[in-house]
Amino acid sequence: MDSSMGMLVAVPAAVLGAAGFGLATAAQQRATKEVEVTPTLSPRLLVELFGRPMWLLGLVATVVALVLQLVALTFGPIAVVQPLLVTGVAFAAGFSALMARRRPDVVILLGALCCAAGLSAFLLLARPVPGAPHESLDLSDGLPLGIALAALVVGCLVYAAVVSHPSRVLALALATGVLYGVTAGLMKVVTGQLQVGWTEPFAHMALYVVCVVGPLGFLLSQNTFQQGRLVSPAVAVITSVDPVVAVLIGVGWLGEQLDTSPAKLAGECIAALVVIAGIVLITARGSHLLHRFDAMEAVGARPTGPAPG
């Protein structure tokens, strides 16, 4: 199949995959509010959620979205597919509003699109050049980066445990994004090993680390959705951090090279600022809407208008 025909498959698959991820996020966030709040990383949360129809809908949507992502990556370049998948932030905001039976808030959607646009630009500018064959890699080569990322995750969890400020949820989202990014980076290694042979991944540590880090990331994402009143800021942080960490793993461990020309670096910095601006916009607008709805509920009025997101 030529590149133009491949794009005809990859682009719709990526957009539908983003919609699937958005639906899954909105459904899971809504389901987590229906069960008792559990301690962070407690498996009991998944046990209680498993019988919830809304959560099962989110689980099915996640599986379908992953299949569509795989199809998109099979027929299209990652530099095109990943930016399209980032639009899942906007889809999550839209589905969350629809489930709340309120119209989506234009400002929150604008912030979500800023995150998607900024991250898309960053990924397009930071496309790494492949390094050593994945089957020849030693997991210990990435130990310094692994320690740094582990310290960041632990720091976020400690912050979320000792602080009652709403920013604790963003800390949980940051930790989730790091775990998702590590999973994505290691899965890239595992898929490279599979090209050598079906049994090759079992001879290396990467597969076993994925089997631990991946489920931990998923469980932490459910904690994040349950403990936060807003879904959009958390999704924006998770979606933004995930691919950035994957790029760091590619450069810091897989031996990939980035274009460090001044123009590219300047563009990447600007793109990062756009992402940060989008997250700030979403968080500020969502907090404003929540305060407004809380005030209306306090006086017995029925909240109207756009959903907080």
Side-chain angles (χ1 to χ4, degrees):
M1 181 180 295
D2 58 41
S3 58
S4 60
M5 290 298 294
M7 293 298 289
L8 291 177
V9 176
V11 171
V15 173
L16 290 174
F21 282 126
L23 174 60
T25 299
Q28 289 169 352
Q29 194 261 357
R30 191 171 183 85
T32 57
K33 303 299 184 183
E34 300 173 354
V35 299
E36 182 182 352
V37 176
T38 61
T40 302
L41 293 179
S42 171
R44 183 163 60 90
L45 176 59
L46 296 182
V47 175
E48 295 184 359
L49 286 171
F50 194 77
R52 300 284 173 170
M54 189 64 70
W55 189 80
L56 293 175
L57 170 64
L59 186 62
V60 172
T62 299
V63 173
V64 173
L66 287 172
V67 172
L68 289 168
Q69 180 182 9
L70 179 60
V71 171
L73 289 171
T74 300
F75 290 96
I78 191 171
V80 173
V81 172
Q82 187 62 45
L84 289 174
L85 290 172
V86 173
T87 60
V89 180
F91 281 113
F95 280 121
S96 180
L98 290 174
M99 290 178 181
R101 296 184 179 180
R102 300 191 183 104
R103 69 178 185 274
D105 183 71
V106 176
V107 177
I108 288 181
L109 289 178
L110 178 61
L113 292 175
C114 282
C115 291
L119 188 54
S120 299
F122 178 85
L123 294 173
L124 290 170
L125 291 170
R127 283 182 293 180
V129 178
H134 295 164
E135 66 273 10
S136 65
L137 293 170
D138 185 351
L139 196 62
S140 62
D141 293 340
L143 190 59
L145 177 61
I147 292 175
L149 293 175
L152 177 58
V153 171
V154 172
C156 288
L157 294 178
V158 171
Y159 179 86
V162 302
V163 173
S164 58
H165 190 269
S167 61
R168 62 183 300 276
V169 177
L170 296 182
L172 291 175
L174 176 57
T176 301
V178 171
L179 293 179
Y180 278 1
V182 171
T183 301
L186 292 178
M187 282 303 297
K188 186 176 181 181
V189 175
V190 172
T191 55
Q193 293 168 349
L194 282 173
Q195 296 177 7
V196 179
W198 287 103
T199 60
E200 184 67 19
F202 295 97
H204 302 275
M205 284 296 297
L207 176 63
Y208 303 104
V209 176
V210 165
C211 291
V212 174
V213 175
L216 279 178
F218 179 75
L219 175 57
L220 189 57
S221 72
Q222 304 307 295
N223 288 133
T224 304
F225 298 151
Q226 183 182 53
Q227 298 180 30
R229 295 185 65 187
L230 303 174
V231 64
S232 298
V235 176
V237 171
I238 294 170
T239 309
S240 300
V241 172
D242 176 355
V244 172
V245 171
V247 169
L248 287 176
I249 290 176
V251 175
W253 178 34
L254 307 184
E256 297 177 340
Q257 301 294 322
L258 296 179
D259 185 344
T260 56
S261 64
K264 285 289 184 70
L265 290 176
E268 291 167 13
C269 290
I270 294 173
L273 290 175
V274 172
V275 174
I276 294 172
I279 294 174
V280 171
L281 182 63
I282 291 172
T283 304
R285 178 61 173 173
S287 298
H288 170 74
L289 291 175
L290 281 177
H291 287 313
R292 193 179 77 183
F293 289 152
D294 288 344
M296 294 182 68
E297 289 178 346
V299 297
R302 182 177 182 273
T304 58

